[in-house]
Amino acid sequence: ESVALGFVAGETGAWLERGLAAQGLRTDFIHLAEGMTRINVKIKAGTETELNGAGPSIPESAMQQLEAQLDTLQPDDILILAGSIPKSLSQSTYERLLAGLEGHGVRAVVDVHPGSAGQRPPPITPFLIKPNNHELGEIVGRVLTTDEEIIAAARTLQQKGARNVLVSMAGDGALLVDENGEVHRIGCPKGKVVNSVGAGDSMVAGFVAGWMQTRSYSFALRLGTACGSATAFSLGLATKEKIDELMKEI
């Protein structure tokens, strides 16, 4: 069973908390006294445009509360850190959180955006880092156009500490360089992209779920790709039936 952690503020934060509870999802959010949980808007009109709101300022006392929550994690727990770092926090925040987990036996998954921890791998070894191909190119400082270039860049992240590097490539599928040095390549199932919101997050969730079930990286990649695609092909949450259908395709 998973628990959503993080910070919420204002009425949008309360709405988020109520919505997750209504879907039966567990949360243990830290409530901030000031500000509002941000709202992000995507405009789809030929080219997709993102309008990402500014989140609330996060004081040091709230960060310490979060660190106290993470300190209770047990060996073999999986912690997923996702998203960009708020402007009110240091860009080394992920490194700080991961450093506090050293010795806990926790598997950390870091789903980063440019400017976040992916540019400076944290001091302890993440179990998984998941950039897309463009983000990976920004991390290594060059445009990546071929599988060979992407593999080489992924291995660079492994040399800096990441155990597994999962690279999403939108309609071109995904590529995984696992901790054993093996390369897994998968295409993208057929379908029409209706809404890309949450597709990358679904891919990470599917990958982690697949690995937990089987300890197989190839199966985890298939399930992650199916979950991400099923989300992109739907207007809302992807159904299990749709995910199962796409699993058969790939």
Side-chain angles (χ1 to χ4, degrees):
E1 186 174 17
S2 60
V3 181
L5 305 174
F7 308 100
V8 293
E11 181 53 34
T12 49
W15 175 86
L16 172 64
E17 202 165 19
R18 290 194 302 269
L20 293 172
Q23 295 182 45
L25 301 175
R26 285 185 59 198
T27 64
D28 191 10
F29 291 132
I30 294 166
H31 297 84
L32 304 178
E34 298 180 359
M36 300 280 281
T37 291
R38 69 179 186 166
I39 294 176
N40 297 337
V41 177
K42 287 202 177 188
I43 300 172
K44 185 167 183 175
T47 299
E48 191 173 81
T49 301
E50 294 184 355
L51 303 175
N52 295 334
S57 294
I58 300 171
E60 175 61 22
S61 59
M63 277 297 299
Q64 292 176 2
Q65 282 183 263
L66 179 61
E67 288 176 313
Q69 288 178 325
L70 298 185
D71 199 45
T72 66
L73 293 176
Q74 301 299 310
D76 292 330
D77 281 349
I78 295 177
L79 173 67
I80 298 177
L81 297 172
S84 54
I85 304 295
K87 290 184 178 180
S88 60
L89 295 177
S90 166
Q91 287 299 303
S92 63
T93 293
Y94 279 176
E95 290 96 316
R96 168 182 169 177
L97 294 177
L98 292 172
L101 294 173
E102 195 164 6
H104 285 232
V106 173
R107 290 183 172 88
V109 175
V110 183
D111 183 4
V112 294
H113 296 176
S116 295
Q119 293 180 343
R120 298 181 305 281
I124 69 167
T125 302
F127 172 69
L128 177 72
I129 287 183
K130 193 218 76 71
N132 63 37
N133 54 329
H134 303 297
E135 292 166 345
L136 181 60
E138 290 190 28
I139 291 169
V140 299
R142 59 183 183 274
V143 176
L144 307 175
T145 57
T146 67
D147 283 5
E148 289 71 24
E149 291 172 344
I150 292 171
I151 292 168
R155 294 198 192 281
T156 298
L157 290 191
Q158 287 183 316
Q159 292 167 5
K160 294 181 178 180
R163 286 171 56 184
N164 301 284
V165 181
L166 172 61
V167 185
S168 57
M169 296 181 283
D172 291 328
L175 185 150
L176 171 72
V177 181
D178 72 26
E179 60 187 321
N180 302 312
E182 293 188 29
V183 176
H184 307 262
R185 183 68 165 91
I186 196 167
C188 188
K190 296 178 181 178
K192 179 181 178 182
V193 175
V194 177
N195 186 353
S196 67
V197 175
D201 305 298
S202 297
M203 183 178 196
V204 171
F207 182 94
V208 171
W211 183 84
M212 289 174 65
Q213 291 171 25
T214 65
R215 295 299 196 267
S216 164
Y217 286 122
S218 58
F219 179 81
L221 180 61
R222 283 182 62 220
L223 183 56
T225 302
C227 288
S229 299
T231 298
F233 298 162
S234 68
L235 284 172
L237 294 174
T239 63
K240 182 180 183 302
E241 290 73 22
K242 184 62 176 178
I243 294 170
D244 290 342
E245 175 189 328
L246 295 180
M247 280 287 285
K248 294 175 183 177
E249 283 189 29
I250 56 178

